[in-house]
Amino acid sequence: MSGDTSDSSSYFDGREPNELIRALVEKRPGTDGKITLGLHFIDLESNKVFIKAMPPDAPSCSTAVSCGNHVYVIGGIRENDATPFGFDAVNDVFQLDLKDLERGWRKTTSMLFPRAFPHVLAAEGKIYVFECMGSESFGEVYDISGDIWEPLSPPPEAIDICVPVLDSSRSRILVHCHASDTLYAYYYDRKSWVCLEQKFCYWSDSAAIVDDVLYTFIYKCSLEAYNLLDKKHLPVKWSSEFPVAPPPESTLYRLGNGKLILGWVNHLHRGFECIRFNIWSNEQGGIHAAAEHQSAITVPYPEDISKIWFF
């Protein structure tokens, strides 16, 4: 499969393809020694990568999230030789309107606290930001219409969270505690926390929800399934062997059509690779999974990309 790159201004025009993956990328330092960021859209329908440059003052180690027709790049770090680690976390927030790409990026209201690599989710016109890398605050929420940040109420116990997952059909965010394996739900419509499982051992930083089932990808091609209604684990059976061995840092995505893909970056061959597969319930009460193709789909990447984060 071949791919190419082009500026997204001539492509989107306010529309969005069905199979689209967004990525925040970091380019290798240029002749001036500076690291720059870019926003990439990987279109699995046309096998292309569309690029939208970031502002030159955008910090590294940021996190991106989409909400409606906008993309937000949040937090990050900037160099500061006066600090013990040589950098400071920042509370910057940049916004891009996908329906007005000519306007470009603009800096919007900053977070209450500086955060590097924060965990970020968007739901019902609000952006939820969770702690990462030792922030002073557990989390905060941004009301886009009101243009205001407010502190997020912490859970009943102090937890070191993994990547949270949005469960929009129940107006909640699933949060897993890495140390104790406790699974919590934050109900954002009533601003309250509920413990769902005292011991939930099948979590990973790669998870997605399809038809009331939480799927997590565990290294060595183990797909785990958990029924959120019955609160029980479901056996997963593959109809065929996985065509490749995905690396541990692979990410599980839920596409707009309800299918799942497992995606990763092949740094050796400079490309984005993925396996697309179908999932459905079988007569035995478990989950049946089948890959759609015999080898990984590959979309080549520009040579100057050093790091990439999908969202």
Side-chain angles (χ1 to χ4, degrees), residues 147-293:
D147 191 28
I148 186 172
W149 288 91
E150 295 180 339
L152 185 67
S153 60
E157 62 173 307
I159 62 175
D160 51 336
I161 68 172
C162 298
V163 176
V165 175
L166 177 65
D167 186 8
S168 57
S169 64
R170 296 170 184 80
S171 300
R172 67 185 184 182
I173 298 171
L174 303 184
V175 175
H176 183 258
C177 175
H178 180 71
S180 65
D181 280 332
T182 309
L183 181 64
Y184 282 96
Y186 176 73
Y187 289 85
Y188 47 78
D189 56 345
R190 57 178 186 262
K191 300 180 180 180
S192 63
W193 290 89
V194 173
C195 178
L196 299 181
E197 288 266 10
Q198 290 288 351
K199 278 293 180 181
F200 191 87
C201 305
Y202 297 98
W203 191 271
S204 76
D205 282 350
S206 183
I209 296 174
V210 179
D211 297 333
D212 298 318
V213 177
L214 171 68
Y215 295 93
T216 57
F217 172 73
I218 310 299
Y219 183 43
K220 294 186 179 179
C221 304
S222 174
L223 184 69
E224 303 293 337
Y226 177 80
N227 190 306
L228 293 169
L229 295 178
D230 300 334
K231 293 186 177 181
K232 66 177 183 180
H233 292 92
L234 304 175
V236 178
K237 181 179 180 181
W238 288 91
S239 61
S240 59
E241 292 187 4
F242 226 56
V244 294
E249 64 273 13
S250 301
T251 302
L252 194 66
Y253 302 92
R254 183 185 187 277
L255 297 175
N257 54 16
K259 296 180 181 180
L260 288 176
I261 72 166
L262 190 64
W264 62 93
V265 176
N266 188 322
H267 294 285
L268 178 62
H269 297 104
R270 299 284 178 193
F272 169 76
E273 297 182 347
C274 68
I275 296 293
R276 183 169 53 232
F277 53 93
N278 296 302
I279 47 176
W280 64 92
S281 299
N282 57 35
E283 296 178 354
Q284 291 73 38
I287 299 296
H288 202 86
E292 287 190 352
H293 33 86

Side-chain angles (χ1 to χ4, degrees), residues 34-37 53-60 78 94 105:
K34 293 184 179 180
I35 296 175
T36 58
L37 299 179
M54 284 289 295
D57 57 339
S60 59
R78 284 202 176 90
F94 291 88
W105 292 91

Side-chain angles (χ1 to χ4, degrees), residues 103-166:
R103 182 182 182 185
W105 292 91
R106 70 180 186 91
K107 200 170 183 179
T108 186
T109 304
S110 299
M111 291 185 293
L112 301 176
F113 295 91
R115 302 176 189 273
F117 279 132
H119 297 313
V120 181
L121 286 174
E124 298 184 1
K126 294 184 178 181
I127 297 175
Y128 296 84
V129 181
F130 298 88
E131 68 176 356
C132 194
M133 293 181 66
S135 175
E136 301 176 49
S137 164
F138 170 79
E140 51 191 288
V141 56
Y142 177 56
D143 186 330
I144 296 175
S145 61
D147 191 28
I148 186 172
W149 288 91
E150 295 180 339
L152 185 67
S153 60
E157 62 173 307
I159 62 175
D160 51 336
I161 68 172
C162 298
V163 176
V165 175
L166 177 65

Side-chain angles (χ1 to χ4, degrees), residues 11-12 16-22 41-44 255:
Y11 171 74
F12 280 99
E16 199 171 308
N18 191 41
E19 298 187 348
L20 180 73
I21 297 174
R22 299 178 178 88
F41 302 87
I42 305 170
D43 187 350
L44 299 182
L255 297 175

